[in-house]
Amino acid sequence: QDILSQTLYGAGAPGAGVGGTNPAQVGLGSRLAAITTNFSQGALQRTGRSTDFAIQGDAFFVVQSGGQQLYTRAGAFSVDGNGNLVNQDGGLIQGWQADPSGAVTVNGPISSLVIPVGGLLAPNPTSSITLGGNLPAAGALGTVIATSVDVYDNQGAAIRLNVTFTKTAANEWTGTASYGTPATAVALTNNVLTFDGSGELLTPAGRQVDIAAGAIPNVGAVAVGLGAAADPGRVSQYGSSSTLATLDQDGYSAGSLQGFSVSREGLLVGTYSNGLTRAVGQLALANFNNPEGLEKVGGSNFRASQNSGLAQVGVPGSGGRGQLVVGAVEMSNVDLAAEFTNLILAQRGFQANSRVITSSDEILQEIVNLKR
């Protein structure tokens, strides 16, 4: 843009029968008008690394570095010796850490994300078991149907529990249980199952058989559910063969974190050695009303300025924020071929302009020589 303009004459207002005239101004000097950062989407390159993330859409990763909060689109991350998720410069990636139960609260303040590789998941003693399937209506008196399941005590040790149902009368089955070798009997409450003529369970009314606390060593009270009345897998008594089985139990042994995966919404899910998965954290993204107003601080990092607006931090895929692409990084949005072409055009244009001055000088020289 021009530094200043010399006004030869100003604008003239239109009048009766006379049109208006535009101002005549000559630009004097030039200077750089502005530099605008281009935040358009770059192409994505697959890396296959589980700690590489690209943002498909608008937003920035939040990084804590040198006591200040920075923002970046560069998603080549790794895990340091303390389990922190960091970028290539050691900046701490921000998000929300999950609590021990795996719950993530995204309404609170963000903090550095830690992935406790090798960290232990405490054991959970069994408190409920769910049975399902069919007891054969045509079974003779004394027919025994058995199923077994591993239950877990307070220290996470597995104990094999055997549950059997014996037909003791028409439409009636009595349940018993035992554990260990040799078998040790386990007292059951509400253990008599009765069925109506259509094969549906009548009693126990609560549709569960109870094991008292301490009946199995170091295991609290256990509710053995028989399925809700509308559950397709409920315990029934039809004319078909036996399909009784253990469908579920809520206990598990201790486990250590073996690895993790990340969803498109930025949820970090850990995989434990006991076969369980649990959320360990949630990546945060930030967007701005005016991203071009961010200040560069080097290393592909930016910080907020007075004209960028406040960082609007939230979950990927919400509030106008882009989604994550895992195992990929975003490449530069600069087309080198186009930039080199533009550079050559600018060079040729400068050369052509310089020839105009030379040509004008030669013409003036010829005019001078005409007088001679």
Side-chain angles (χ1 to χ4, degrees), residues 70-102:
L70 305 179
Y71 308 92
T72 183
R73 296 274 299 187
F77 303 147
S78 59
V79 180
D80 69 8
N82 292 330
N84 298 302
L85 189 63
V86 297
N87 64 8
Q88 300 302 310
D89 297 325
L92 302 172
I93 309 305
Q94 303 294 288
W96 296 275
Q97 198 73 35
D99 63 23
S101 67

Side-chain angles (χ1 to χ4, degrees), residues 71 286-290 304-313:
Y71 308 92
N287 56 5
F288 297 86
N289 290 331
N290 177 30
S305 72
Q306 292 181 344
N307 196 39
S308 65
L310 295 177
Q312 300 168 19
V313 180

Side-chain angles (χ1 to χ4, degrees), residues 3 26 60 68 90 175 178 184 188 214 234 252-253 261 272 338:
I3 297 176
V26 178
F60 299 83
Q68 58 182 337
S178 63
T184 301
L188 300 179
R234 64 190 180 276
Y252 50 81
S253 62
S261 60
Y272 290 83

Side-chain angles (χ1 to χ4, degrees), residues 150-169:
D150 283 337
V151 297
Y152 294 87
D153 65 13
N154 296 329
Q155 297 178 338
I159 301 172
R160 174 64 64 166
L161 177 67
N162 302 301
V163 180
T164 62
F165 289 96
T166 304
K167 190 166 186 179
T168 52

